Amino acid sequence: MLLRCALVDDEPLALGLLESYVRKTPTLELCGSYTSAIQALKGLPEQPVDLLFLDIQMPELNGLEYARHVPESTRIVFTTAFEQYALEGYRVNALDYLLKPISYADFLEAVDRAQQWFGLRKQAEAPAPAAAGNGSLATEADYIYVKSDYKLVQVRLDDILYIEGLKDYVKIHLASEPRPLLSLVSLRALEERLPKSRFLRVHRSFIVQKSHISVIEKGRIVFGKDYIPVSESYKQELQNYVNEHII
C-alpha cells in the first residue's frame, strides 16, 4: 500500500534526514515538506496526506497544537528530542512517537505500523460478505483491534469480561490476562463497535459481556474479586436479560 506523507520540522538537518528516509522507502510518497506548522497549515489542506511526520517543539504553533487541526483521516507520527511529550502525543491520537535522533530502523517501524493501521481500516470499511446460499450477512467478527501503548492489539470478544471507562481511557479486563489492557478511547466509542447481542452497558463507567455474568449479588455483578455496580438507569435492561435465562 502506497501512503502519501508529509514532513513538518523547523530543524533543517532533521527535515533533510526524514526526506532521505522517505525517498528510500518504496511504500511512501512525499507530498510536502514544511519548516513550520504555520507553513503546513497553509499548504496541507490543499493536498491531504495519509501520514504526517510532525515535530513537536516549533515556534509560534507547536506540533501538539497543530495536530488538532489535522484531518482525522491523516495519521500522525510525532518526532521530538523530548521523551516527556509521549503521553501528550498519545492524547491527540498519534499513531506513533519517534525520539530524535531517529534511526532508519525506528522510522521503518513507524511506517509498518501505519501500513497495518490503514490496512485494518480498509478491511473494516469493506462491506461484509454475504453468507453462501441465503444472501444474509456473514457472522459478526469475533475480535476487535484496540490501540494500546502505540500498538494495535487484537482482542478476542470471547475473552472480554468487562470494560471500565476512565475519562479518556478504557480498561479492558480479560479472562486470559491478570492485568487489564489500557487504551486511549472513550467508552462510548468502544461501545458502538461492540455487538449489542453480546455486551451490555450496566453503568456509565462499565460494559459487561453477557455470557460472563455468572454472579449477581446485591445489585452488583461479581467478577472474581471485582464488583461491578449497576446503576438505576441500566438496571431494567439487565433484569430483562436475566429474566430471559431464568429457569
Side-chain angles (χ1 to χ4, degrees):
M1 184 186 303
L2 184 65
L3 298 180
R4 293 161 51 83
C5 74
L7 315 171
V8 184
D9 200 310
D10 66 327
E11 299 176 22
L13 290 177
L15 192 61
L17 180 66
L18 289 175
E19 288 174 348
S20 71
Y21 286 171
V22 173
R23 281 195 293 269
K24 62 182 179 181
T25 306
T27 56
L28 294 180
E29 176 189 355
L30 185 59
C31 298
S33 187
Y34 306 93
T35 56
S36 73
I38 299 293
Q39 192 182 74
L41 197 60
K42 296 175 181 178
L44 274 178
E46 301 173 3
Q47 195 175 26
V49 295
D50 301 309
L51 190 59
L52 179 64
F53 292 89
L54 179 61
D55 186 26
I56 291 180
Q57 277 206 315
M58 292 184 289
E60 296 185 87
L61 185 68
N62 68 41
L64 292 171
E65 293 166 340
Y66 171 63
R68 292 175 172 83
H69 300 276
V70 174
E72 195 169 331
S73 59
T74 297
R75 309 313 298 167
I76 296 172
V77 175
F78 279 114
T79 62
T80 182
F82 301 94
E83 195 168 3
Q84 68 264 27
Y85 286 116
L87 181 58
E88 286 302 312
Y90 200 20
R91 287 186 184 279
V92 294
N93 205 25
L95 183 69
D96 208 344
Y97 173 92
L98 295 177
L99 191 63
K100 296 178 180 180
I102 301 167
S103 69
Y104 185 55
D106 289 341
F107 179 85
L108 277 182
E109 281 190 20
V111 173
D112 289 343
R113 188 164 292 133
Q115 289 280 353
Q116 183 184 31
W117 190 92
F118 280 99
L120 291 172
R121 191 181 74 169
K122 185 176 181 181
Q123 181 180 343
E125 291 174 349
N134 57 15
S136 61
L137 292 178
T139 56
E140 62 193 21
D142 57 0
Y143 59 87
I144 57 173
Y145 282 93
V146 297
K147 189 168 74 171
S148 180
D149 193 24
Y150 296 103
K151 296 176 289 188
L152 284 171
V153 180
Q154 186 190 90
V155 177
R156 291 187 299 106
L157 296 184
D158 285 342
D159 197 26
I160 299 174
L161 295 173
Y162 65 94
I163 303 164
E164 180 181 359
L166 298 169
K167 198 176 179 181
D168 298 328
Y169 293 82
V170 296
K171 283 183 177 180
I172 303 176
H173 296 259
L174 304 172
S176 63
E177 298 291 340
R179 289 188 173 185
L181 186 68
L182 187 67
S183 181
L184 182 63
V185 65
S186 71
L187 190 64
R188 180 180 295 276
L190 185 56
E191 182 182 19
E192 291 174 354
R193 299 300 303 271
L194 296 172
K196 296 186 184 302
S197 59
R198 301 177 64 174
F199 291 87
L200 182 66
R201 186 79 169 259
V202 296
H203 188 275
R204 62 179 298 182
S205 300
F206 291 95
I207 296 172
V208 301
Q209 177 152 201
K210 296 176 181 178
S211 61
H212 283 297
I213 299 175
S214 57
V215 177
I216 300 175
E217 176 185 294
K218 298 179 181 178
R220 301 175 298 178
I221 301 171
V222 183
F223 288 98
K225 296 181 180 179
D226 297 329
Y227 290 82
I228 307 304
V230 179
S231 64
E232 286 296 328
S233 55
Y234 295 101
K235 187 172 293 185
Q236 188 58 54
E237 191 172 355
L238 174 62
Q239 188 62 53
N240 292 342
Y241 169 72
V242 171
N243 289 343
E244 292 174 0
H245 296 82
I246 287 179
I247 299 176

